[in-house]
Amino acid sequence: MSLTVQPAWFRGVTARAAGAIGRLISSVWETSRARRSRPLLYIAVGAVAGAAVLLMVSSLLGAAVETWSRGDVQLRARIVLLSARDQIEQLARDPSPEAATKLQALFTRLITDERLQAVGICDPDGKMRTATDTMPARLLCASIRRSKAETTVPIRIDSQDLLVSAFPLAEGKEGHVVIVHDLTYAKARSDHAQTFIMVTTIIAALLASGAVAVAMLMLVRNWRAALRATLDDLRAGRLEGAGPVTTLPAELREALDQYDLVRRTIDGIHIDWTPDTLQRALGSELPGAEVLVVSNREPYIHNHTDAGITVQLPASGLVSAIEPVIRACGGTWIAHGSGSADRDSVDAADRIAVPPDAPSYTLRRIWLTDEEQDGYYYGFANEGMWPLCHIAFVRPTFREADWRYYREVNQKFADAVVREAKTHDPIVLVQDYHFALLPRMVRKHLPKATIITFWHIPWPNAETFGICPWKEEIIEGLLGSSILGFHTNFHCNNFFETIDRFVESRIDRERRSITLGGQETMVRAYPISIEWPPSALAGQAPVPACRAAVRQRFGLGEGVRVGIGIERFDYTKGILDRLHGVDVLLSRHPEWRGAVTFIQAAAPTRSKIASYRALQDEAVALAEEINNRYRTPDWQPLILSIRHHQPPEVFELFRAADFCVVSSLHDGMNLVAKEFVAARDDERGVLVLSTFAGASRELAEALIVNPYHAHDMAEAIHRALMMPVDEQEARMRQMRALVRTRNVYRWAGQMLLDAAQLRRREGIERLAAANLPAVPRLLGRRLA
Ligand code: F6P
C-alpha cells in the first residue's frame, strides 16, 4: 500500500501555470521591446497579473472546498460508527462464526451510503478480520496506527483518492473499526467550485469593464464636446473684441486649461519636450536625416566695433525660436551675412561654426549686394509682403524691380541649399515670407527633400492677399513644400481660402492638404514658442535685485511702479497705441501720476523704410508730448530706450516690471509675451496682451485688450497695477505651465514628427509604385 499526501493535482496545475505565465511574459517583453510598444506590454502584464490572481483565488477556494468536504466525510464516518458502535463492539467480541456473519452483514448495510466505500475491522495484531468485499486489498492494517484515539488519513490506492478513518475499540486493545470513504466526490465538488468561481468572475469582470468603458466613453465624449464648444464660444467672443479687458474669471480659466491639458493627454501621448527629447525624436523617427535651415536673418552677427569684433544676437523671434532647435539637432543654417565683420569671420566656403562659445552647428553665410538687399529685403519682403499680411493699415507697395530681386535672391539661397546638402533627401526648414519661392526651386533639384516651410507672420484673408500682383507665383512657390506651417488654424484656413480663390489645385480639407502639379503639401498649425528654461534666465539676479538695478539705471524713485514694453520699432507692434494708453491712464486715474513709469525699449529696425522711420519719429514726439504734460521735477511717465538690447538685459527689464504690455495690432504669435512669462520665476507681474496677437489664444490669463481702444488699454494697466498678489501668482503660474509644456522644442518636434510620418508614407508609395504601378494613388489615400 502506498500512502500519498494530497493534493498533487494542485501542485501540478500551479507548476504548469507558472511555466506558461513565465513564457508569456518573456515573449510579450521581447515583442514590446522589438516594437517599442510599451502600452502592449502593460496590457499584457496587467492581463497576466489578473489571470494569476484569478488562478490563485480559485485554487485557494478549491482547496477550501476540498478541506471542507473532507471534514464532512470524517463527520459522516463518525456518525456511522456511533450509530452502530454498540452492535459492532458486541459482535466483534463474539468469536463465533455467526457473529462474524452478522458483523459482515452489518458492514454491508452501512456502505449503502454512496460515499462510504468499505468498512472492516483490523485486529490488534494487524490483520483485517471482517470487512466488506469493497475493502481495497492493498489497504494494510499494519499501516493503521495503533492509536488510542481516532485517526483519519487521506491515501491514494490505484489512482483512487480515499479517506481512511480508524476508530479504536476498547482503546485499540480489541482492534480498530476502519471506515473507508471515496474522496472522488470531494475533489469533484472542489473542481466544480473552482470552475464556477472562475467563470463567474470572468463574466462579471467582462460585464463590469464593458459597462465602465461605455460609460467613460460617453462621459468623456460629452464632456469634451461640451467644453470644446464652450471654450470656442468664449474665445470667439473675446476675439471679436466684444468689450474692454475681456478676461475670463480665473476659476473658469483654470478649469478650461485643465481641460486643455486633459485633451492634450487624451488626443495624443503627452510628451515633455526638451532638447534631449527632440534629439531622440530625430534619431528614432528620422535616423541619419540631414537638417538644413534657411532664413534671412542670421543667428549670430559679427560687427566691427571699437572693442574689436563683437557678436550680436539679433532681435528676432524667428532666430530665438530656431536657434535652440538647431543647437539640439545640429546641421547647417543658411542665412544672409549682414554684419560688418561677417566676411572676416567665415572660412573660405563662407562657413563658421556656432554658437561661438560652444559650436554645435554650421552657419553658412550668403552675401547680398546693396541692390539685392534693397529690392528683396526692404522692397518686396518688407514693403510688400509684410504690410500685406499684417493688417496694420499701412499700405503695401509692390514694385516690379523688387519682385525681380526677390526672385533672384530666392534662387541664390535655393542654390546654396542644393550645394550644402550632402544627401539627396535632406530636411529643409524654410523660414518666413522672405522665401516664398524657394521651396519649389529646391524641390526641382532635390525632389526627395522634405521641405518644411514655416510662415512666421499672419496669412491674410483671400481678398487682402488678392492685392499682390504675383499671388499665383507666391502660392506655387510655397506649394513646393512638403509641409507648410502657420501659427494658428485661423491662418491655415485663410491660406486654404486663398488657394481656393486663386489657383487650380486639389484641396483636401479632411487631410488638410493641397495638391498642385502632383506635389502634395500638408498645411498645419504649429504655434511657435520659446526655449524652456530660457537661457537668458540663467545668471539673472533675484527679482528684487533686478528691480533695484533697473530703478537705478533709469533714475526711478523707490515707490514708483514700473511698466515695460520691448520689441523692434515696428508699426505692427502698437507702440503708439500703448503710449496713448498710458496717457489715458494718467488722465482717468490721476492717482497714478508720479507713481508709475512706463519704459519702452525698442530696437531700431528696417530704418531704410519710410514707414519705420516715421513711426520712430512719431513715437519720440508723442512720448515727449505726454511727458511734458505730466512730468514733475523728479518723475516722468514715459522712458524710451531706443537701441538693441541683448537677451540678458531684456530679461532683467522683464523681472523688474510690475506689468508688461504687448499691444500688437496684428501678430502671428509674439514671443515677447511668452518671454515675459518665462522671465518671471517669482510668479509675479501682469501681462497686458493684445487680442490680435496669436499668443492671446494660448496666454488667456493675461489681461486681453483691444490695442485700438486707448480707454481699454488704460483700464487694463490700471487693473494690472491694482491686482492683488495672489491673483498675479495664480495667473502667472498658469501661463508658465503652458509655456513650459508648449515650448519651442514641441513646436519643432511636432513638425519633424509630421515630416517623419510623411517620409514613411512616401517610402511606402514608392515601394507600391515599383511593385504595382496602378496602386500608389489609392494606397496614398488609404495611408492618410
Ligand atoms: O515676425 C516675422 C519676423 O521674421 C520674425 O520672425 C522676426 O522676429 C522679425 O520678423 C525680424 O525681422 P527682421 O529680420 O527683418 O529684423
Side-chain angles (χ1 to χ4, degrees), residues 632-692:
T632 63
D634 53 0
W635 171 81
Q636 68 182 55
L638 297 170
I639 295 175
L640 293 189
S641 176
I642 306 177
R643 64 178 172 83
H644 177 75
H645 297 74
Q646 294 280 37
E649 212 182 340
V650 171
F651 268 60
E652 186 184 53
L653 286 169
F654 282 147
R655 288 165 73 75
D658 291 291
F659 66 95
C660 172
V661 180
V662 172
S663 53
S664 309
L665 303 180
H666 201 189
D667 220 330
M669 174 56 70
N670 194 296
L671 294 183
V672 169
K674 293 187 174 180
E675 282 171 352
F676 173 66
V677 166
R680 299 311 297 258
D681 53 2
D682 63 334
E683 298 179 341
R684 300 277 174 86
V686 181
L687 176 63
V688 177
L689 177 59
S690 164
T691 189
F692 304 118

Side-chain angles (χ1 to χ4, degrees), residues 297 316-318 377 386 432-434 456-457 568 605-606:
R297 188 60 66 197
S316 159
L318 177 158
Y377 173 76
W386 182 269
D432 232 346
Y433 61 100
H434 309 93
H456 289 257
I457 61 177
R568 293 178 304 105
T605 178
R606 306 174 189 169

Side-chain angles (χ1 to χ4, degrees), residues 77 80 110-119 179-182:
V80 165
L110 290 178
I111 63 166
T112 49
D113 181 322
E114 56 163 342
R115 289 167 208 166
L116 209 62
Q117 172 154 331
V119 182
I179 299 179
V180 179
H181 275 89
D182 183 358

